Amino acid sequence: MAEIISPAERFDLITRRLQEVLGGESIKAILEQGKNPKCYWGSAPTGRPHIGYFVPLTKIADFLRAGVEVTVLFADIHAFLDNLKAPLELVEHRTKYYEYILITVFKSLGIPTNKLRLIRGSSYQLTKEYNLDNYKLCAIVTEHDAKKAGAEVVKQVDNALLSGLLYPGLQALDEQYLGCDFQFGGVDQRKIFVFAEEYLPKLGYAKRAHLMNPMVPGLAGGKMSSSDPNSKIDFLDPPEVVKNKIKKAFCEEGNITENGLLAFAKAVLIPISELRIERAKGNTVADEQEGAVALGEQKPFIGEDAPEGTVFTIHRDPKFGGPSHYRSYDEMEKDFAEKKLHPGDLKVAVRDAINSLLDPIRTAFEGNEEWQKIEKLAYPDPNAKSDKKKKVKVYHPPPPGKGKNVKPADPAAADAGEPEGAPAEPSAS
């Protein structure tokens, strides 16, 4: 049976580990009424999704535990509009790829996909009603406000395309058309969220709440980006590639700022470890199905001899001090700042944890031929040689009297009645 918890406890579960909450009182009001809030999280299928996606997908497990009704939007129209990151002919393939990868990641995290509503933007964003609302927005939104709203999300270029100005308005309208009480995303979406809060009421629609995750820096210290292969790890990267990328990652001894490995441990590895520990104790609250059909090993990232309360273990050879068991991220960060935790040991621990997370995803991909075909269609190799066939020459005989082997006509032969240009008889040798 589902565990009964108070509205306040449900709200704490919904908002834990978030960086910012806008309009949280409206969520509290829904919970006080004993109802389940509705949320939507969207992803535009442009570049290849990377392990940074573990951050929002792990948080969705909290939502389901709290009884939130979650919609996952595959924003195919948005993908095309964002400065042609995904040309129209590739959007369909990339959307299918995202569906495969995200559903598999959910399963690997033990999140029951039958409790999620999965929807494509094009299924409703091309309707008469939606487009009429878009035109209404265009009639009241200034160019300045549209550009400002999309500044952190839509690719900024000189002489920007009109499509990028439409992007924030469409994302705002999605809240109404998906029937959500709050939208969930990264803190980089904040300006679009504020835009939605301002403009939806001007169309006569309700103002929604907005929940934001922190952004995880890339391996080099900057933003983790799909367009920069050196800043992130792909879900399908093989173990040796993961090892190489982690080895090259920026991780200066004692430096806890812009440290992508520490940040990933904080935002992904420790929360997943905690989820697994809680699940092992049966603490999944409203989500009784969590972990029932999970892909891969569901062991938390702790040692066999770890004391109670440990959420992450750094394994070390006894001659170097043996394992370190951490009860929180703050303890790990403090040890790293004081140089008690060496970058090499942190890299090994993060590498092994990431590979254990990716193992079931890679296995699922390798066993699915349709997914493999979609991957090639969605992200064709730009360096692949063109498969053009050589043009086959077809011999066409020249018309009578034409051609390079034709000899001048013999007047005597002409007198004998032979046609002009007829070939001479071969001479005897």
Side-chain angles (χ1 to χ4, degrees), residues 97-204:
Y97 179 79
Y98 267 60
E99 288 173 349
Y100 271 120
I101 197 86
L102 294 186
I103 289 172
T104 305
V105 174
F106 275 128
K107 290 179 179 178
S108 75
L109 292 172
I111 298 171
T113 55
N114 64 323
K115 298 187 74 172
L116 303 171
R117 181 171 67 140
L118 309 175
I119 190 168
R120 291 190 184 196
S122 55
S123 67
Y124 65 90
Q125 290 169 346
L126 302 178
T127 62
K128 174 183 175 182
E129 294 77 16
Y130 188 94
N131 277 283
L132 184 57
D133 274 341
N134 182 33
Y135 293 146
K136 289 178 181 177
L137 268 183
C138 290
I140 59 174
V141 175
T142 65
E143 177 188 1
H144 173 271
D145 283 1
K147 189 176 289 186
K148 178 182 176 183
E152 301 295 324
V153 178
V154 181
K155 188 174 181 180
Q156 302 297 300
V157 295
D158 293 333
N159 197 22
L161 298 172
L162 180 60
S163 58
L165 299 178
L166 297 176
Y167 195 109
L170 300 185
Q171 187 168 333
L173 287 176
D174 289 340
E175 296 182 359
Q176 174 66 25
Y177 280 80
L178 292 174
C180 74
D181 298 305
F182 69 89
Q183 185 181 170
F184 167 58
V187 74
D188 62 331
Q189 304 270 330
R190 192 182 195 283
K191 290 179 180 177
I192 289 182
F193 292 165
V194 172
F195 175 94
E197 291 186 7
E198 178 182 353
Y199 281 100
L200 280 187
K202 292 181 180 180
L203 295 183

Side-chain angles (χ1 to χ4, degrees), residues 350-368:
V350 171
R351 178 199 71 198
D352 291 346
I354 288 175
N355 270 325
S356 73
L357 287 176
L358 299 186
D359 277 342
I361 301 167
R362 291 185 290 232
T363 300
F365 175 76
E366 290 163 4
N368 190 323

Side-chain angles (χ1 to χ4, degrees), residues 333-351:
E333 184 185 83
K334 183 173 181 291
D335 266 10
F336 192 86
E338 294 175 357
K339 300 185 180 181
K340 295 177 182 177
L341 172 57
H342 191 271
D345 295 324
L346 176 64
K347 286 186 175 186
V348 170
V350 171
R351 178 199 71 198

Side-chain angles (χ1 to χ4, degrees), residues 216-224 230-231 249-251 257-261:
V216 179
L219 299 177
K223 183 178 179 181
M224 190 179 292
N230 294 318
S231 77
F250 174 76
C251 191
T257 61
E258 290 299 304
N259 187 321
L261 299 183

Side-chain angles (χ1 to χ4, degrees), residues 51-67:
I51 60 172
Y53 278 73
F54 273 121
V55 181
L57 302 190
T58 302
K59 185 60 199 170
I60 286 173
D62 279 341
F63 294 158
L64 294 176
R65 286 180 170 191

